[in-house]
Amino acid sequence: MQLLRGGWPSDNVRARNIETARALDADGYVFRGSTRGDAPAVTALVRAHLPGAGAFEYAASDGAVVAEAPDGTVAGVAVVRASLSPEQRVLVQVRALVTAPAHRGRGTASLALAVIPQVMGPDLSPQVVFGNAASEHATFFQRNGFDVLQPGENLTIGVPRDTLLAGATPGPYDTWFVRAR
């Protein structure tokens, strides 16, 4: 795989996430796993603020990390879908990552990505987290510990291409981000 950007080392990412978590906690934000009751708010947030996602559907097989603002509204979300590779590795695809405009610039999306393993629980702790994005956001994913592939490069993680594309976020996204442990 040809990389556009290599992910930051995990110690750097962890230190940054701890600092972000403390600040958001002090401001009253809560990060939690989604419930079925969150589906309308999650769907509306993704459709309204993610380019090309006007027809996005929060599927029954999806889960999400929900960033809840101090007023109880959904400030941000990382919509994910877990699957098993042929080698029985847990793969988590980030189908959508979005923060409401009023909550941007605080680290909400970064922390949502960081807590995916905790929200998924020990039985589904992912060996690989991946998704597709616009290459203009490569630095964001790099700072969050993800390798970002060159635009147009195929992601090879042991899953058929059709399966990857079926869960991919619709829109103008030309690259993949991936973090494996």
Side-chain angles (χ1 to χ4, degrees), residues 3 9 12 16 20 24 33 36 40 49 59 65 89 95 101 105 109 115 121-122 128 131 133 154 159 168 173-174 176:
L3 296 183
N12 294 20
R16 191 169 161 263
T20 299
L24 288 170
R36 281 290 141 214
H49 301 291
V65 173
R89 297 184 329 163
R95 294 193 58 231
V115 300
V128 179
N154 287 329
V159 176
Y173 305 114
D174 60 352
W176 294 96

PDB file of all heavy atoms in Angstrom, residues 3 9 12 16 20 24 33 36 40 49 59 65 89 95 101 105 109 115 121-122 128 131 133 154 159 168 173-174 176:
ATOM      1  N   LEU A   3       1.413   5.012   0.911  1.00  0.00           N
ATOM      2  CA  LEU A   3       0.855   5.931   1.894  1.00  0.00           C
ATOM      3  C   LEU A   3       0.983   7.386   1.454  1.00  0.00           C
ATOM      4  O   LEU A   3       2.021   7.802   0.940  1.00  0.00           O
ATOM      5  CB  LEU A   3       1.552   5.769   3.242  1.00  0.00           C
ATOM      6  CG  LEU A   3       1.395   4.438   3.958  1.00  0.00           C
ATOM      7  CD1 LEU A   3       2.099   4.504   5.310  1.00  0.00           C
ATOM      8  CD2 LEU A   3      -0.062   4.071   4.129  1.00  0.00           C
ATOM      9  N   PRO A   9       2.620   8.086  16.045  1.00  0.00           N
ATOM     10  CA  PRO A   9       2.823   6.992  17.002  1.00  0.00           C
ATOM     11  C   PRO A   9       1.728   6.979  18.074  1.00  0.00           C
ATOM     12  O   PRO A   9       1.228   8.037  18.485  1.00  0.00           O
ATOM     13  CB  PRO A   9       4.189   7.308  17.627  1.00  0.00           C
ATOM     14  CG  PRO A   9       4.860   8.219  16.657  1.00  0.00           C
ATOM     15  CD  PRO A   9       3.758   8.995  15.982  1.00  0.00           C
ATOM     16  N   ASN A  12       1.892   9.367  21.126  1.00  0.00           N
ATOM     17  CA  ASN A  12       1.542  10.768  20.828  1.00  0.00           C
ATOM     18  C   ASN A  12       0.028  10.938  20.749  1.00  0.00           C
ATOM     19  O   ASN A  12      -0.535  11.912  21.250  1.00  0.00           O
ATOM     20  CB  ASN A  12       2.166  11.213  19.504  1.00  0.00           C
ATOM     21  CG  ASN A  12       3.671  11.259  19.539  1.00  0.00           C
ATOM     22  OD1 ASN A  12       4.308  10.635  20.380  1.00  0.00           O
ATOM     23  ND2 ASN A  12       4.253  11.965  18.603  1.00  0.00           N
ATOM     24  N   ARG A  16      -2.464  13.124  23.357  1.00  0.00           N
ATOM     25  CA  ARG A  16      -3.362  14.148  22.799  1.00  0.00           C
ATOM     26  C   ARG A  16      -4.817  13.850  23.157  1.00  0.00           C
ATOM     27  O   ARG A  16      -5.579  14.752  23.512  1.00  0.00           O
ATOM     28  CB  ARG A  16      -3.164  14.191  21.289  1.00  0.00           C
ATOM     29  CG  ARG A  16      -3.808  15.339  20.586  1.00  0.00           C
ATOM     30  CD  ARG A  16      -3.271  15.391  19.134  1.00  0.00           C
ATOM     31  NE  ARG A  16      -4.147  16.163  18.324  1.00  0.00           N
ATOM     32  CZ  ARG A  16      -5.106  15.671  17.550  1.00  0.00           C
ATOM     33  NH1 ARG A  16      -5.291  14.381  17.464  1.00  0.00           N
ATOM     34  NH2 ARG A  16      -5.868  16.451  16.837  1.00  0.00           N
ATOM     35  N   THR A  20      -7.553  16.049  25.356  1.00  0.00           N
ATOM     36  CA  THR A  20      -8.848  16.389  24.757  1.00  0.00           C
ATOM     37  C   THR A  20      -9.994  15.889  25.624  1.00  0.00           C
ATOM     38  O   THR A  20     -10.970  16.609  25.868  1.00  0.00           O
ATOM     39  CB  THR A  20      -8.959  15.785  23.341  1.00  0.00           C
ATOM     40  OG1 THR A  20      -7.917  16.338  22.538  1.00  0.00           O
ATOM     41  CG2 THR A  20     -10.302  16.080  22.709  1.00  0.00           C
ATOM     42  N   LEU A  24     -12.991  18.171  27.264  1.00  0.00           N
ATOM     43  CA  LEU A  24     -14.395  17.952  26.906  1.00  0.00           C
ATOM     44  C   LEU A  24     -15.217  17.508  28.111  1.00  0.00           C
ATOM     45  O   LEU A  24     -16.374  17.921  28.274  1.00  0.00           O
ATOM     46  CB  LEU A  24     -14.509  16.947  25.762  1.00  0.00           C
ATOM     47  CG  LEU A  24     -14.054  17.469  24.399  1.00  0.00           C
ATOM     48  CD1 LEU A  24     -13.969  16.338  23.381  1.00  0.00           C
ATOM     49  CD2 LEU A  24     -14.992  18.564  23.902  1.00  0.00           C
ATOM     50  N   GLY A  33     -21.880   4.830  23.733  1.00  0.00           N
ATOM     51  CA  GLY A  33     -22.369   4.035  22.622  1.00  0.00           C
ATOM     52  C   GLY A  33     -23.782   4.455  22.279  1.00  0.00           C
ATOM     53  O   GLY A  33     -24.527   4.944  23.132  1.00  0.00           O
ATOM     54  N   ARG A  36     -30.784   2.615  19.905  1.00  0.00           N
ATOM     55  CA  ARG A  36     -31.699   2.715  18.752  1.00  0.00           C
ATOM     56  C   ARG A  36     -32.412   4.067  18.742  1.00  0.00           C
ATOM     57  O   ARG A  36     -32.731   4.604  17.696  1.00  0.00           O
ATOM     58  CB  ARG A  36     -32.723   1.577  18.762  1.00  0.00           C
ATOM     59  CG  ARG A  36     -32.166   0.286  18.261  1.00  0.00           C
ATOM     60  CD  ARG A  36     -31.900   0.363  16.754  1.00  0.00           C
ATOM     61  NE  ARG A  36     -30.664  -0.339  16.456  1.00  0.00           N
ATOM     62  CZ  ARG A  36     -29.811  -0.012  15.522  1.00  0.00           C
ATOM     63  NH1 ARG A  36     -30.013   0.999  14.731  1.00  0.00           N
ATOM     64  NH2 ARG A  36     -28.703  -0.691  15.337  1.00  0.00           N
ATOM     65  N   PRO A  40     -32.526   8.616  14.720  1.00  0.00           N
ATOM     66  CA  PRO A  40     -32.972   9.810  13.985  1.00  0.00           C
ATOM     67  C   PRO A  40     -31.988  10.991  14.082  1.00  0.00           C
ATOM     68  O   PRO A  40     -31.701  11.644  13.076  1.00  0.00           O
ATOM     69  CB  PRO A  40     -34.309  10.167  14.642  1.00  0.00           C
ATOM     70  CG  PRO A  40     -34.793   8.877  15.238  1.00  0.00           C
ATOM     71  CD  PRO A  40     -33.543   8.166  15.685  1.00  0.00           C
ATOM     72  N   HIS A  49     -24.482  17.320   7.473  1.00  0.00           N
ATOM     73  CA  HIS A  49     -23.135  17.882   7.567  1.00  0.00           C
ATOM     74  C   HIS A  49     -22.017  17.042   6.954  1.00  0.00           C
ATOM     75  O   HIS A  49     -20.854  17.418   7.065  1.00  0.00           O
ATOM     76  CB  HIS A  49     -22.805  18.170   9.034  1.00  0.00           C
ATOM     77  CG  HIS A  49     -23.758  19.125   9.658  1.00  0.00           C
ATOM     78  ND1 HIS A  49     -23.817  20.464   9.298  1.00  0.00           N
ATOM     79  CD2 HIS A  49     -24.734  18.943  10.575  1.00  0.00           C
ATOM     80  CE1 HIS A  49     -24.764  21.056   9.996  1.00  0.00           C
ATOM     81  NE2 HIS A  49     -25.335  20.161  10.771  1.00  0.00           N
ATOM     82  N   ALA A  59     -28.129   2.042   9.621  1.00  0.00           N
ATOM     83  CA  ALA A  59     -28.646   0.682   9.468  1.00  0.00           C
ATOM     84  C   ALA A  59     -28.724  -0.051  10.806  1.00  0.00           C
ATOM     85  O   ALA A  59     -28.031   0.294  11.764  1.00  0.00           O
ATOM     86  CB  ALA A  59     -27.748  -0.095   8.507  1.00  0.00           C
ATOM     87  N   VAL A  65     -20.389   5.799  18.119  1.00  0.00           N
ATOM     88  CA  VAL A  65     -19.943   6.548  19.281  1.00  0.00           C
ATOM     89  C   VAL A  65     -20.658   7.892  19.171  1.00  0.00           C
ATOM     90  O   VAL A  65     -20.547   8.571  18.147  1.00  0.00           O
ATOM     91  CB  VAL A  65     -18.416   6.761  19.278  1.00  0.00           C
ATOM     92  CG1 VAL A  65     -18.007   7.687  20.417  1.00  0.00           C
ATOM     93  CG2 VAL A  65     -17.692   5.429  19.361  1.00  0.00           C
ATOM     94  N   ARG A  89     -10.419 -11.795  12.216  1.00  0.00           N
ATOM     95  CA  ARG A  89     -10.024 -10.542  12.851  1.00  0.00           C
ATOM     96  C   ARG A  89     -11.231  -9.616  12.855  1.00  0.00           C
ATOM     97  O   ARG A  89     -11.972  -9.555  11.875  1.00  0.00           O
ATOM     98  CB  ARG A  89      -8.871  -9.876  12.103  1.00  0.00           C
ATOM     99  CG  ARG A  89      -7.619 -10.710  12.095  1.00  0.00           C
ATOM    100  CD  ARG A  89      -6.431 -10.036  11.440  1.00  0.00           C
ATOM    101  NE  ARG A  89      -6.773  -9.117  10.368  1.00  0.00           N
ATOM    102  CZ  ARG A  89      -5.940  -8.195   9.882  1.00  0.00           C
ATOM    103  NH1 ARG A  89      -4.748  -8.064  10.375  1.00  0.00           N
ATOM    104  NH2 ARG A  89      -6.307  -7.413   8.894  1.00  0.00           N
ATOM    105  N   ARG A  95     -18.190   4.386   8.977  1.00  0.00           N
ATOM    106  CA  ARG A  95     -19.056   4.738   7.854  1.00  0.00           C
ATOM    107  C   ARG A  95     -19.295   6.240   7.768  1.00  0.00           C
ATOM    108  O   ARG A  95     -19.545   6.777   6.697  1.00  0.00           O
ATOM    109  CB  ARG A  95     -20.408   4.032   7.991  1.00  0.00           C
ATOM    110  CG  ARG A  95     -20.303   2.517   7.868  1.00  0.00           C
ATOM    111  CD  ARG A  95     -21.663   1.865   7.690  1.00  0.00           C
ATOM    112  NE  ARG A  95     -22.343   2.390   6.514  1.00  0.00           N
ATOM    113  CZ  ARG A  95     -23.593   2.860   6.526  1.00  0.00           C
ATOM    114  NH1 ARG A  95     -24.306   2.875   7.630  1.00  0.00           N
ATOM    115  NH2 ARG A  95     -24.139   3.312   5.421  1.00  0.00           N
ATOM    116  N   PRO A 101     -21.501  21.772  13.423  1.00  0.00           N
ATOM    117  CA  PRO A 101     -20.665  22.976  13.297  1.00  0.00           C
ATOM    118  C   PRO A 101     -20.393  23.709  14.610  1.00  0.00           C
ATOM    119  O   PRO A 101     -19.273  24.172  14.828  1.00  0.00           O
ATOM    120  CB  PRO A 101     -21.468  23.854  12.325  1.00  0.00           C
ATOM    121  CG  PRO A 101     -22.211  22.869  11.484  1.00  0.00           C
ATOM    122  CD  PRO A 101     -22.581  21.746  12.429  1.00  0.00           C
ATOM    123  N   GLY A 105     -13.721  21.853  16.210  1.00  0.00           N
ATOM    124  CA  GLY A 105     -12.493  22.468  16.694  1.00  0.00           C
ATOM    125  C   GLY A 105     -12.168  22.170  18.143  1.00  0.00           C
ATOM    126  O   GLY A 105     -11.228  22.742  18.697  1.00  0.00           O
ATOM    127  N   ALA A 109     -14.447  14.850  17.149  1.00  0.00           N
ATOM    128  CA  ALA A 109     -14.304  13.738  16.195  1.00  0.00           C
ATOM    129  C   ALA A 109     -13.094  12.881  16.543  1.00  0.00           C
ATOM    130  O   ALA A 109     -13.158  11.645  16.462  1.00  0.00           O
ATOM    131  CB  ALA A 109     -14.196  14.272  14.769  1.00  0.00           C
ATOM    132  N   VAL A 115     -12.369   6.361  21.116  1.00  0.00           N
ATOM    133  CA  VAL A 115     -13.104   5.497  22.055  1.00  0.00           C
ATOM    134  C   VAL A 115     -13.887   4.379  21.372  1.00  0.00           C
ATOM    135  O   VAL A 115     -14.599   3.636  22.036  1.00  0.00           O
ATOM    136  CB  VAL A 115     -14.007   6.312  23.009  1.00  0.00           C
ATOM    137  CG1 VAL A 115     -13.182   7.289  23.826  1.00  0.00           C
ATOM    138  CG2 VAL A 115     -15.119   7.020  22.265  1.00  0.00           C
ATOM    139  N   GLY A 121     -16.579  -2.752  23.199  1.00  0.00           N
ATOM    140  CA  GLY A 121     -16.455  -3.746  24.256  1.00  0.00           C
ATOM    141  C   GLY A 121     -15.365  -4.755  23.969  1.00  0.00           C
ATOM    142  O   GLY A 121     -14.866  -4.868  22.843  1.00  0.00           O
ATOM    143  N   PRO A 122     -14.983  -5.522  25.002  1.00  0.00           N
ATOM    144  CA  PRO A 122     -13.849  -6.437  24.877  1.00  0.00           C
ATOM    145  C   PRO A 122     -14.064  -7.567  23.864  1.00  0.00           C
ATOM    146  O   PRO A 122     -13.108  -8.035  23.260  1.00  0.00           O
ATOM    147  CB  PRO A 122     -13.670  -6.989  26.292  1.00  0.00           C
ATOM    148  CG  PRO A 122     -14.957  -6.737  26.979  1.00  0.00           C
ATOM    149  CD  PRO A 122     -15.566  -5.534  26.331  1.00  0.00           C
ATOM    150  N   VAL A 128      -8.565  -3.923  13.341  1.00  0.00           N
ATOM    151  CA  VAL A 128      -8.408  -2.954  12.258  1.00  0.00           C
ATOM    152  C   VAL A 128      -9.592  -1.994  12.289  1.00  0.00           C
ATOM    153  O   VAL A 128     -10.741  -2.421  12.382  1.00  0.00           O
ATOM    154  CB  VAL A 128      -8.354  -3.649  10.871  1.00  0.00           C
ATOM    155  CG1 VAL A 128      -8.216  -2.623   9.756  1.00  0.00           C
ATOM    156  CG2 VAL A 128      -7.221  -4.660  10.809  1.00  0.00           C
ATOM    157  N   GLY A 131     -11.734   3.425   7.115  1.00  0.00           N
ATOM    158  CA  GLY A 131     -12.823   4.150   6.482  1.00  0.00           C
ATOM    159  C   GLY A 131     -12.309   4.889   5.270  1.00  0.00           C
ATOM    160  O   GLY A 131     -11.122   4.813   4.943  1.00  0.00           O
ATOM    161  N   ALA A 133     -12.176   8.669   3.097  1.00  0.00           N
ATOM    162  CA  ALA A 133     -12.194  10.104   3.377  1.00  0.00           C
ATOM    163  C   ALA A 133     -11.662  10.866   2.178  1.00  0.00           C
ATOM    164  O   ALA A 133     -11.076  10.291   1.264  1.00  0.00           O
ATOM    165  CB  ALA A 133     -11.314  10.405   4.595  1.00  0.00           C
ATOM    166  N   ASN A 154      -5.853   1.012  -3.504  1.00  0.00           N
ATOM    167  CA  ASN A 154      -6.777   0.028  -2.947  1.00  0.00           C
ATOM    168  C   ASN A 154      -6.385  -0.336  -1.521  1.00  0.00           C
ATOM    169  O   ASN A 154      -5.206  -0.493  -1.218  1.00  0.00           O
ATOM    170  CB  ASN A 154      -6.801  -1.247  -3.798  1.00  0.00           C
ATOM    171  CG  ASN A 154      -7.526  -1.034  -5.107  1.00  0.00           C
ATOM    172  OD1 ASN A 154      -8.447  -0.239  -5.196  1.00  0.00           O
ATOM    173  ND2 ASN A 154      -7.097  -1.746  -6.127  1.00  0.00           N
ATOM    174  N   VAL A 159     -10.532  -8.214   2.992  1.00  0.00           N
ATOM    175  CA  VAL A 159     -11.975  -8.138   2.768  1.00  0.00           C
ATOM    176  C   VAL A 159     -12.200  -7.827   1.298  1.00  0.00           C
ATOM    177  O   VAL A 159     -11.523  -6.961   0.740  1.00  0.00           O
ATOM    178  CB  VAL A 159     -12.604  -7.025   3.643  1.00  0.00           C
ATOM    179  CG1 VAL A 159     -14.076  -6.871   3.364  1.00  0.00           C
ATOM    180  CG2 VAL A 159     -12.375  -7.317   5.120  1.00  0.00           C
ATOM    181  N   ALA A 168     -19.015   1.832   2.466  1.00  0.00           N
ATOM    182  CA  ALA A 168     -18.278   3.091   2.380  1.00  0.00           C
ATOM    183  C   ALA A 168     -19.229   4.282   2.369  1.00  0.00           C
ATOM    184  O   ALA A 168     -20.344   4.210   1.876  1.00  0.00           O
ATOM    185  CB  ALA A 168     -17.407   3.114   1.128  1.00  0.00           C
ATOM    186  N   TYR A 173     -14.973  10.995  -1.821  1.00  0.00           N
ATOM    187  CA  TYR A 173     -13.877  10.504  -0.992  1.00  0.00           C
ATOM    188  C   TYR A 173     -12.926   9.676  -1.835  1.00  0.00           C
ATOM    189  O   TYR A 173     -13.329   8.709  -2.451  1.00  0.00           O
ATOM    190  CB  TYR A 173     -14.428   9.721   0.201  1.00  0.00           C
ATOM    191  CG  TYR A 173     -15.417  10.574   0.961  1.00  0.00           C
ATOM    192  CD1 TYR A 173     -16.757  10.244   1.019  1.00  0.00           C
ATOM    193  CD2 TYR A 173     -15.001  11.753   1.567  1.00  0.00           C
ATOM    194  CE1 TYR A 173     -17.656  11.054   1.680  1.00  0.00           C
ATOM    195  CE2 TYR A 173     -15.892  12.574   2.229  1.00  0.00           C
ATOM    196  CZ  TYR A 173     -17.219  12.220   2.287  1.00  0.00           C
ATOM    197  OH  TYR A 173     -18.106  13.030   2.931  1.00  0.00           O
ATOM    198  N   ASP A 174     -11.652  10.083  -1.850  1.00  0.00           N
ATOM    199  CA  ASP A 174     -10.693   9.480  -2.767  1.00  0.00           C
ATOM    200  C   ASP A 174      -9.601   8.668  -2.089  1.00  0.00           C
ATOM    201  O   ASP A 174      -8.696   8.176  -2.745  1.00  0.00           O
ATOM    202  CB  ASP A 174     -10.055  10.570  -3.633  1.00  0.00           C
ATOM    203  CG  ASP A 174      -9.318  11.629  -2.818  1.00  0.00           C
ATOM    204  OD1 ASP A 174      -9.418  11.630  -1.573  1.00  0.00           O
ATOM    205  OD2 ASP A 174      -8.633  12.465  -3.431  1.00  0.00           O
ATOM    206  N   TRP A 176      -8.388   6.071   1.590  1.00  0.00           N
ATOM    207  CA  TRP A 176      -8.742   5.250   2.746  1.00  0.00           C
ATOM    208  C   TRP A 176      -7.836   5.613   3.909  1.00  0.00           C
ATOM    209  O   TRP A 176      -6.674   5.950   3.721  1.00  0.00           O
ATOM    210  CB  TRP A 176      -8.548   3.763   2.437  1.00  0.00           C
ATOM    211  CG  TRP A 176      -9.465   3.220   1.404  1.00  0.00           C
ATOM    212  CD1 TRP A 176      -9.204   3.073   0.067  1.00  0.00           C
ATOM    213  CD2 TRP A 176     -10.787   2.745   1.613  1.00  0.00           C
ATOM    214  NE1 TRP A 176     -10.299   2.527  -0.564  1.00  0.00           N
ATOM    215  CE2 TRP A 176     -11.280   2.313   0.360  1.00  0.00           C
ATOM    216  CE3 TRP A 176     -11.620   2.619   2.716  1.00  0.00           C
ATOM    217  CZ2 TRP A 176     -12.553   1.787   0.198  1.00  0.00           C
ATOM    218  CZ3 TRP A 176     -12.880   2.092   2.556  1.00  0.00           C
ATOM    219  CH2 TRP A 176     -13.345   1.681   1.297  1.00  0.00           C
TER     220      TRP A 176
END
